[in-house]
Amino acid sequence: MPTSSNAVFEALDSFRIETPSWGYADTGTRFGKFHQPAAAIDLDDKLADAAHVHRLTACCPTVATHVLWDFAPGTDAATVASKAGVLGIAIGSINPNLFQDQIYKLGSVGSPFETARDQALAHIIDCIKLGQVTGSKAVSLWFADGTNYPGQDNIRARKHRFEAALKEAHGHLSKEQILLVEYKPFEPAFYQTDLADWGMALLMAKKAGPQAKVLVDTGHHYLSQNIEQIVAWLLDEDMLGGFHFNDRRYADDDLTLGSIDPYQIFRIFHEIHLFAQERGGKYPAIEYMIDQSHNLKPKIEAMIQTVCTAQELYAKAALVDHAALLQAQKKGNIVDAEMCLKKAFNTDVSAALAEWRKSKGLDGDPLAAHRASAYAEKAAAERSKRRQELGIATEHSYA
Ligand code: PSV
Ligand code: MN
């Protein structure tokens, strides 16, 4: 096994994870939203919270934005980018909103209505321009498009509408930008989702153009699906663009990363380390992003917990002894091969992680440092007052 401290330090030095602006604000399920006193109210709060998480972890320099939720009409994107810069972070992926407008009832770029398709494409192109102003690399596309009943629309016609729109959108990218295509098996469409799996997303990305790649949201798979195999195949095709990290027990539950199945995330990271090792240590450019709603856990604590879990699993996966693994595989020694993975997964890397943080001038325990900073309490006091002034609903007091 590689010497643990060295391998952990090397792995963490290049590992960056983007936090989502929406993970700092009040979110919920379709049954309701529970409010938290410290939750971000507006984009300024979200940027401040994201900067706080980055200060404690030194691993989250960018924040993903969701366009309609963050950039209200009239918002000056350049001002937002410079505000983020002052706080020590940058605007990360731009996520168009192609599902909330009434016009999208039957879909966005896949809709049978030309007016809906035109509006969706114009919005994607606006988001590409927004990304150019904010200096963001990725425009990340997720479509709620699909149908609810057999016969509702022509499945192949919808596919053709997608191809045309994505190709056209790709033509507006600058050479620094990438287009990420996300898939999801169901919800909100319950009969047929237009981009339902990685094969459809891969095909669509290929048709869009060379700067388009696939985004793997860990929650967007059927329960028994082997996600690391999808990752391995996409890596091999040079088509893995990024991740949306979260965990789930049933479907797209948006629970915090590794809370249900940390070994799954470890196995995904193992495929990435193995791929890089086979290419002389050259890691592919992958956008690691969190996409959770963690609606019951305190927002910032959940984010820090997720970032630390991602670092821990990424570090553990870097400890797999690739030479021993190859030897075992060559001999057909299944038990020893599997043990190479298990041994790394079972290694306690917490001391090495704390050491790495201290070497960056950070507290060895970001969650404890967050709690000691009383950031959440101060935010709660100020934001509760502001909520009252704005007439926004607040949390239930059990006292
Ligand atoms: C859809 O479930 C999704 O995973 C997409 O990435 C959206 O942009 C995001 O969630 C919204 O939370
Ligand atoms: Mn997602």
Side-chain angles (χ1 to χ4, degrees), residues 157-373:
R158 295 184 72 91
K159 173 175 173 280
H160 297 160
R161 294 172 202 145
F162 261 83
E163 289 167 0
L166 265 64
K167 217 170 164 178
E168 166 116 32
H170 190 282
H172 290 261
L173 295 172
S174 73
K175 60 179 190 324
E176 288 79 30
Q177 286 180 299
I178 57 168
L179 204 58
L180 298 177
V181 184
E182 184 174 353
Y183 56 92
K184 172 166 165 167
F186 64 90
E187 195 211 15
F190 289 113
Y191 164 62
Q192 162 266 335
T193 293
D194 288 313
L195 301 187
D197 65 26
W198 71 279
M200 298 179 197
L202 173 65
L203 198 66
M204 216 38 83
K206 288 240 178 194
K207 292 199 178 204
Q211 287 162 248
K213 297 207 171 171
V214 177
L215 184 145
V216 176
D217 182 313
T218 45
H220 293 187
H221 301 91
Y222 291 111
L223 269 186
S224 59
Q225 202 152 11
N226 184 331
I227 304 174
E228 62 268 29
Q229 183 182 5
I230 295 171
V231 168
W233 278 52
L234 288 174
L235 280 168
D236 203 54
E237 293 293 322
D238 189 25
M239 286 303 287
L240 179 64
F243 286 98
H244 271 179
F245 280 137
N246 50 62
D247 211 338
R248 57 99 164 80
R249 178 67 186 84
Y250 299 101
D252 187 21
D253 307 341
D254 273 338
L255 301 178
T256 50
L257 183 75
S259 54
I260 304 294
D261 186 0
Y263 193 41
Q264 161 81 88
I265 306 299
F266 167 91
R267 296 192 306 265
I268 289 174
F269 286 144
H270 162 62
E271 290 303 328
I272 295 167
H273 288 308
L274 183 63
F275 179 80
Q277 182 264 327
E278 287 170 3
R279 273 146 198 81
K282 198 173 176 312
Y283 278 79
I286 298 171
E287 304 296 313
Y288 296 104
M289 299 172 274
I290 296 170
D291 180 13
Q292 296 168 174
S293 72
H294 47 242
N295 52 338
L296 300 183
K297 284 180 175 173
K299 304 286 164 189
I300 295 174
E301 290 198 9
M303 205 67 88
I304 294 171
Q305 186 187 33
T306 293
V307 172
C308 293
T309 301
Q311 287 181 308
E312 183 191 350
L313 295 169
Y314 192 76
K316 281 176 183 248
L319 299 181
V320 173
D321 188 334
H322 295 137
L325 180 63
L326 185 64
Q327 279 312 309
Q329 288 173 347
K330 275 186 175 164
K331 290 184 195 149
N333 189 336
I334 305 167
V335 171
D336 283 3
E338 187 197 0
M339 287 312 289
C340 285
L341 270 67
K342 280 282 169 71
K343 201 171 159 191
F345 181 66
N346 291 329
T347 304
D348 184 353
V349 292
S350 51
L353 246 75
E355 239 181 83
W356 179 82
R357 292 188 179 115
K358 286 180 188 152
S359 78
K360 306 280 167 211
L362 304 173
D363 193 292
D365 182 345
L367 188 56
H370 163 66
R371 288 179 177 161
S373 75

Side-chain angles (χ1 to χ4, degrees), residues 10-19 54 57-62 245 269 286-290 307 310-311 314 356 360:
E10 229 172 82
L12 295 186
D13 275 343
S14 58
F15 185 59
R16 298 282 171 276
I17 187 157
E18 182 165 301
T19 68
H54 181 48
T57 59
C59 139
C60 309
T62 55
F245 280 137
F269 286 144
I286 298 171
E287 304 296 313
Y288 296 104
M289 299 172 274
I290 296 170
V307 172
Q311 287 181 308
Y314 192 76
W356 179 82
K360 306 280 167 211

Side-chain angles (χ1 to χ4, degrees), residues 4-218:
S4 65
S5 277
N6 281 353
V8 168
F9 272 50
E10 229 172 82
L12 295 186
D13 275 343
S14 58
F15 185 59
R16 298 282 171 276
I17 187 157
E18 182 165 301
T19 68
S21 66
W22 55 96
Y24 297 107
D26 274 333
T27 47
T29 66
R30 62 201 164 105
F31 300 105
K33 207 192 239 189
F34 296 107
H35 303 282
Q36 295 189 16
I41 302 172
D42 55 25
L43 182 57
D44 286 344
D45 296 342
K46 294 173 189 172
L47 294 179
D49 294 355
H52 173 67
V53 170
H54 181 48
R55 267 196 305 279
L56 294 170
T57 59
C59 139
C60 309
T62 55
V63 58
T65 53
H66 227 293
V67 170
L68 294 187
W69 304 338
D70 294 326
F71 293 88
T75 309
D76 180 43
T79 309
V80 172
S82 69
K83 270 186 190 171
V86 169
L87 291 166
I89 53 170
I91 302 298
S93 63
I94 307 283
N95 292 257
N97 188 309
L98 298 158
F99 44 90
Q100 274 186 319
D101 196 293
Q102 291 299 311
I103 202 169
Y104 298 142
K105 183 175 173 187
L106 299 186
S108 63
V109 300
S111 170
F113 298 116
E114 198 177 354
T115 46
R117 295 201 297 274
D118 288 350
Q119 178 170 319
L121 180 59
H123 179 58
I124 296 173
I125 295 168
D126 282 347
C127 289
I128 292 174
K129 289 186 191 141
L130 190 67
Q132 289 160 3
V133 175
T134 53
S136 320
K137 184 180 169 198
V139 173
S140 195
L141 302 176
W142 173 68
F143 299 94
D145 288 55
T147 56
N148 270 19
Y149 296 96
Q152 181 184 322
D153 198 359
N154 181 312
I155 294 174
R156 278 175 298 106
R158 295 184 72 91
K159 173 175 173 280
H160 297 160
R161 294 172 202 145
F162 261 83
E163 289 167 0
L166 265 64
K167 217 170 164 178
E168 166 116 32
H170 190 282
H172 290 261
L173 295 172
S174 73
K175 60 179 190 324
E176 288 79 30
Q177 286 180 299
I178 57 168
L179 204 58
L180 298 177
V181 184
E182 184 174 353
Y183 56 92
K184 172 166 165 167
F186 64 90
E187 195 211 15
F190 289 113
Y191 164 62
Q192 162 266 335
T193 293
D194 288 313
L195 301 187
D197 65 26
W198 71 279
M200 298 179 197
L202 173 65
L203 198 66
M204 216 38 83
K206 288 240 178 194
K207 292 199 178 204
Q211 287 162 248
K213 297 207 171 171
V214 177
L215 184 145
V216 176
D217 182 313
T218 45

